[in-house]
Amino acid sequence: MDLYVLDAEIFGLESALSSTEGLPRLEILVQLAWHLRQRDCQQALCLVKEAEDLLKVFSKTLKNPASTLTRIALIRAEIQWLYGDLDLAKQDANLAFNLSEECGDFISLGDTYFLFSSIHRDLGEIQQRDQCLQAAKELYQDAGDLLRTQVALARQLHNSAIRDPQNTLTELHQHFNVELDYHPSVVAWLASARAIIANKI
């Protein structure tokens, strides 16, 4: 499950959900809720509720229910963060952290650190923000997820552009080829970093 997807994938999941029942529906519900977590929080929460109900029915059938529970906890945590309820966001993120460690899910653990970075930023805890984002990037690298690694790195460049624009510009050129196309989720952070650098230099 990618961090962010384009509309076409959302539409595909919505179409698949309308004609799917049983255990396969649970997987689609969680995927769709994850990708709607920032687009439509209330709809994402409705999907999560249905997924939790199905999870009770199929808990003994699933090979790794902890992985599904981790993603659900992450969805709830990110929505709480978007709503500005950082205490609840931290509670759900801690739950996701423990579950992802339990099942050895490096991607979900990285996503949890990625969210912790956002929570610490909003709390003004810059050192913790940077430490969590670095941890997320390293976990993504260990998991072999290139896109997530690029997103985390581009976000690091966005963060560092304000305090050290010149070195950030050098790193940006080292890691991202201006002649290559990147996923929009990477481009967004890179564009922000470049804008900050242009304003500072």
Side-chain angles (χ1 to χ4, degrees):
M1 224 179 289
D2 289 336
L3 273 175
Y4 309 106
V5 297
L6 301 179
D7 288 344
E9 186 163 341
I10 298 287
F11 298 151
L13 288 169
E14 289 174 337
S15 176
L17 187 66
S18 66
S19 58
T20 306
E21 297 180 354
L23 188 57
R25 183 176 178 85
L26 173 60
E27 182 178 350
I28 297 173
L29 282 166
V30 175
Q31 287 186 43
L32 185 56
W34 172 249
H35 293 312
L36 289 177
R37 70 196 188 281
Q38 292 187 4
R39 299 169 184 244
D40 189 338
C41 296
Q42 288 304 312
Q43 179 63 14
L45 289 174
C46 288
L47 295 170
V48 162
K49 178 62 172 63
E50 184 182 349
E52 288 174 328
D53 291 341
L54 280 177
L55 189 57
K56 293 174 185 177
V57 176
F58 294 106
S59 59
K60 295 181 180 179
T61 307
L62 285 174
K63 292 181 180 179
N64 190 4
S67 180
T68 302
L69 286 169
T70 300
R71 191 56 51 177
I72 287 174
L74 271 171
I75 294 166
R76 289 191 180 281
E78 187 151 338
I79 291 172
Q80 297 293 352
W81 162 65
L82 288 170
Y83 284 165
D85 196 332
L86 302 184
D87 288 335
L88 278 179
K90 284 193 290 185
Q91 288 179 24
D92 284 325
N94 281 323
L95 173 59
F97 180 90
N98 292 332
L99 287 168
S100 57
E101 273 204 321
E102 176 187 320
C103 61
D105 186 343
F106 283 4
I107 293 296
S108 292
L109 193 57
D111 289 348
T112 304
Y113 272 116
F114 195 84
L115 175 57
F116 273 133
S117 182
S118 298
I119 294 171
H120 285 302
R121 179 199 62 200
D122 287 0
L123 290 170
E125 299 167 348
I126 302 306
Q127 182 177 354
Q128 293 94 321
R129 176 202 69 180
D130 292 344
Q131 289 172 345
C132 287
L133 189 53
Q134 178 64 24
K137 187 180 72 174
E138 291 173 359
L139 284 161
Y140 294 153
Q141 288 172 328
D142 291 343
D145 193 314
L146 177 60
L147 177 55
R148 275 180 164 85
T149 301
Q150 289 176 336
V151 170
L153 177 55
R155 185 177 175 185
Q156 284 182 320
L157 294 172
H158 158 85
N159 289 344
S160 66
I162 294 177
R163 64 176 178 266
D164 194 351
Q166 190 62 62
N167 283 334
T168 300
L169 180 61
T170 301
E171 287 190 43
L172 197 154
H173 289 154
Q174 287 176 346
H175 294 289
F176 294 97
N177 189 333
V178 294
E179 296 181 357
L180 296 181
D181 292 327
Y182 295 96
H183 191 275
S185 58
V186 178
V187 172
W189 288 111
L190 292 179
S192 181
R194 290 189 178 105
I196 294 170
I197 291 167
N199 185 55
K200 295 288 183 179
I201 294 179

